[in-house]
Amino acid sequence: MDQFKPPSWWSGFADQWKKLEWAVWSASNFQFIGGVIFLFCCYFAVSPSFLAVFQTPRTQTDRMTYIDRSVSFNPEIFFGSEWRVAEEDARYHEFAAINFGKMKLATCLKEGESWITGEEKLRRLKKSGDIRLGADVFLALWNEEGQRTLEWLRENRSVTRLDFFGTILESPSGNRCVFCLYRDGDAWVWGCPWLDGVWFSSGPAPVLLND
């Protein structure tokens, strides 16, 4: 039997058909790839982590912390017998919450001074008329879960120490001191430095403007 031979025009038709198949395959695949690229771009266009690369970091300006007024600070419970509150700025008790983003950090140092005594700092704070935050605010920050406000202050206002001149404490021996919170390594700790000691700019007092 003679072998079948396609007509001469068949080879040209077959070549064109192969080209058409390749064109259709390429178009469909490029359309798919284009769709993937489009979705990829859309995702990253709205992704917060992606946008953060192009956005200027903004510092938060508000941080409200509520003060528990149901229990008053008792120095004898906190320290032991014969400790007492020598004096206090009663005005801060009027606040159920403190906006630590708006509070003022007062060092009370004058130009050319690198330090003053705690008693002198107290006198200058009183003269300014600003509202001094005291023991109740100290306890609220210290007892807050995760100490979130202190961490917020450290991250947003570069605060690593606070001295609470709103409550002046007196020991059984008559020494006067105030609560402080300061950063020690990776943790916040509290202390109670004497007012007759040296105070530097690293220990600002948190105060509220008396508007």
Side-chain angles (χ1 to χ4, degrees):
M1 179 182 291
D2 295 335
Q3 186 177 359
F4 173 78
K5 293 182 179 181
S8 59
W9 55 265
W10 177 256
S11 60
F13 176 78
D15 289 341
Q16 294 299 322
W17 180 257
K18 289 180 180 179
K19 291 180 181 180
L20 179 61
E21 281 185 322
W22 170 254
V24 171
W25 182 88
S26 299
S28 61
N29 279 276
F30 278 121
Q31 185 177 13
F32 172 76
I33 295 172
V36 171
I37 294 174
F38 175 76
L39 292 175
F40 185 80
C41 293
C42 288
Y43 170 77
F44 281 103
V46 297
S47 171
S49 58
F50 178 78
L51 292 175
V53 176
F54 300 97
Q55 292 177 342
T56 301
R58 293 185 296 175
T59 300
Q60 298 180 30
T61 57
D62 292 302
R63 174 69 190 190
M64 298 298 296
T65 300
Y66 293 91
I67 312 302
D68 184 6
R69 298 297 185 191
S70 62
V71 179
S72 299
F73 169 72
N74 187 329
E76 291 194 350
I77 295 176
F78 198 91
F79 291 105
S81 61
E82 299 185 21
W83 279 80
R84 72 183 188 93
V85 174
E87 56 180 289
E88 195 163 40
D89 189 342
R91 297 172 297 172
Y92 90 87
H93 289 295
E94 300 174 5
F95 294 86
I98 304 294
N99 186 347
F100 284 91
K102 300 295 177 61
M103 75 172 181
K104 174 183 173 183
L105 298 171
T107 66
C108 299
L109 293 175
K110 297 179 180 179
E111 186 176 355
E113 292 181 332
S114 59
W115 62 271
I116 53 177
T117 66
E119 293 288 2
E120 177 60 25
K121 185 173 183 176
L122 177 60
R123 282 191 287 271
R124 294 181 185 183
L125 285 169
K126 289 179 177 179
K127 186 176 180 180
S128 73
D130 294 334
I131 301 171
R132 293 168 283 132
L133 302 183
D136 290 351
V137 178
F138 156 79
L139 287 175
L141 294 176
W142 176 251
N143 292 325
E144 183 182 30
E145 183 179 358
Q147 297 176 329
R148 294 187 298 270
T149 300
L150 289 173
E151 285 301 298
W152 183 92
L153 286 168
R154 184 175 66 88
E155 294 172 0
N156 291 275
R157 300 193 62 179
S158 301
V159 171
T160 56
R161 177 173 173 136
L162 293 172
D163 297 318
F164 298 87
F165 275 78
T167 302
I168 308 302
L169 301 165
E170 187 175 302
S171 72
S173 59
N175 292 315
R176 287 154 55 93
C177 62
V178 296
F179 279 120
C180 76
L181 289 166
Y182 62 95
R183 188 79 175 175
D184 184 13
D186 295 331
W188 287 91
V189 297
W190 70 273
C192 200
W194 307 120
L195 292 186
D196 59 1
V198 174
W199 295 68
F200 299 94
S201 60
S202 58
V207 299
L208 302 177
L209 298 178
N210 186 20
D211 297 329

